[in-house]
Amino acid sequence: MPAAIYPGSFDPFTNGHLSLIQRGLQMFDRLIVAILVNPKKTPLFSIEERREMIQGAVKDPRIEIDSFQGLLVEYAKKKKVSVVLRGLRAVSDFEYEFQLANMNRKLQPDIETVFMMTGEDYFYVSSNLVREVASLGGNVKGLVPQNVLTKLKAKYSGG
Ligand code: PNS
């Protein structure tokens, strides 16, 4: 299959995301990792920081790292890509992902969402939990790539 868009907030990028990208690359020739610019949220990391974190963690010429604002389906149309890749961890992800995929299909019937299971080592890892644990001084080593770990430490030590 030619290309897919892997959209998300990636605040921060975790080993769960990395695992999904690695799996995705076995299925697609090219992946566009698309960071959502969400004016309604105050992120921990800026878009530029997130882009750098992903770049530092994924060294593969088949990956493009980009950001987008507004509707995902409009972005996909602009990029001329008709497949959206999303990860599924536990059953709890399903309801939200089901809504998202169906809303996107309603908005743009040509766009198909493909789900892949997150690597079994990272089923419980989410950016939200990583942020919370790191902000409270907990160790998130092994849950995020090394360069992200360094960034998190700097962020929470006032660096
Ligand atoms: O990593 P996340 O926060 O779970 O990713 C959610 C994302 C970025 C895939 C989703 O919020 C999104 O596509 N937002 C763009 C706005 C949009 O298209 N909304 C309508 C679809 S319901």
Side-chain angles (χ1 to χ4, degrees):
M1 286 210 256
I5 292 175
Y6 179 40
S9 304
F10 307 112
D11 188 33
F13 188 72
T14 68
N15 280 344
H17 295 130
L18 183 60
S19 150
L20 207 83
I21 288 178
Q22 285 161 347
R23 278 148 199 265
L25 283 175
Q26 292 176 8
M27 205 170 157
F28 297 98
D29 292 343
R30 206 160 56 82
L31 282 184
I32 301 171
V33 182
I35 310 166
L36 173 69
V37 180
N38 188 348
K40 285 191 241 148
K41 275 195 191 167
T42 311
L44 177 63
F45 292 105
S46 69
I47 294 289
E48 209 33 60
E49 283 176 309
R50 280 178 269 170
R51 182 196 288 274
E52 280 169 17
M53 282 192 280
I54 300 170
Q55 229 149 30
V58 191
K59 301 258 184 272
D60 196 301
R62 293 170 296 168
I63 297 284
E64 175 188 335
I65 303 162
D66 195 13
S67 57
F68 75 104
Q69 279 190 54
L71 288 176
L72 176 61
V73 292
E74 292 299 329
Y75 174 73
K77 212 157 74 179
K78 195 183 89 185
K79 298 297 278 188
K80 298 189 169 47
V81 172
S82 60
V83 179
V84 170
L85 176 66
R86 291 286 286 170
L88 271 184
R89 288 165 303 190
V91 180
S92 52
D93 278 347
F94 181 79
E95 200 168 322
Y96 172 64
E97 294 298 335
F98 183 76
Q99 285 181 350
L100 208 76
N102 280 288
M103 181 59 82
N104 284 339
R105 185 189 281 158
K106 167 90 184 130
L107 293 169
Q108 185 58 254
D110 299 344
I111 289 181
E112 201 56 69
T113 304
V114 169
F115 293 102
M116 293 188 91
M117 304 284 272
T118 305
E120 57 276 13
D121 292 341
Y122 306 114
F123 262 104
Y124 60 98
V125 179
S126 68
S127 295
N128 282 347
L129 274 186
V130 162
R131 273 201 314 272
E132 179 169 334
V133 171
S135 73
L136 298 171
N139 188 2
V140 292
K141 192 171 192 303
L143 306 183
V144 295
Q146 187 58 43
N147 65 325
V148 176
L149 189 67
T150 307
K151 280 275 198 181
L152 277 168
K153 282 183 179 160
K155 210 42 122 182
Y156 288 118
S157 64

